[in-house]
Amino acid sequence: MQVEKQCRSKNELPSMYKVLMHNDDYTTMEFVVSLLETVFHLSPAEAHRIMLNIHTQGVGVCGTYPYEIAETKVARVHCMAQQSGYPLKCSLERA
């Protein structure tokens, strides 16, 4: 019975997290599109659509990933934004 429980827990899918990008008054739309294309591997059309959603709604979902991957993507966005002098913020939310 113990082995059966262990096997079931190993086969469960990991918890998924949404990566959210937040609007600010300083980060350019072009930079946001560039991040969406490079960090999240989105097509130009999809990146533009999400950027407009972030701009109009204040926040947009960039993708849904297991925790470690989502955390890495948030860190990359923050690093790239800081290097470019933008205060862009990303956060995680359990899906």
Side-chain angles (χ1 to χ4, degrees):
M1 181 95 52
Q2 285 263 343
V3 174
E4 189 176 322
K5 284 183 183 178
Q6 288 176 346
C7 289
R8 265 192 264 144
S9 65
K10 285 184 181 181
N11 291 333
E12 289 177 19
L13 294 175
S15 297
M16 301 297 280
Y17 288 81
K18 291 187 240 178
V19 176
L20 306 173
M21 193 174 289
H22 303 270
N23 189 42
D24 62 59
D25 293 333
Y26 304 101
T27 307
T28 64
M29 292 179 179
E30 292 81 12
F31 184 74
V32 171
V33 169
S34 174
L35 284 177
L36 291 168
E37 290 174 359
T38 57
V39 176
F40 298 96
H41 307 288
L42 298 174
S43 69
E46 185 69 6
H48 188 76
R49 185 189 67 74
I50 292 172
M51 177 276 298
L52 287 176
N53 192 48
I54 294 166
H55 182 68
T56 58
Q57 303 298 316
V59 67
V61 178
C62 303
T64 304
Y65 308 94
Y67 181 78
E68 291 80 12
I69 294 171
E71 186 178 45
T72 300
K73 290 188 181 288
V74 168
R76 276 191 69 198
V77 166
H78 287 162
C79 182
M80 292 172 76
Q82 185 179 17
Q83 287 175 348
S84 298
Y86 294 116
L88 185 64
K89 296 293 179 201
C90 271
S91 62
L92 299 178
E93 178 180 284
R94 195 172 194 140

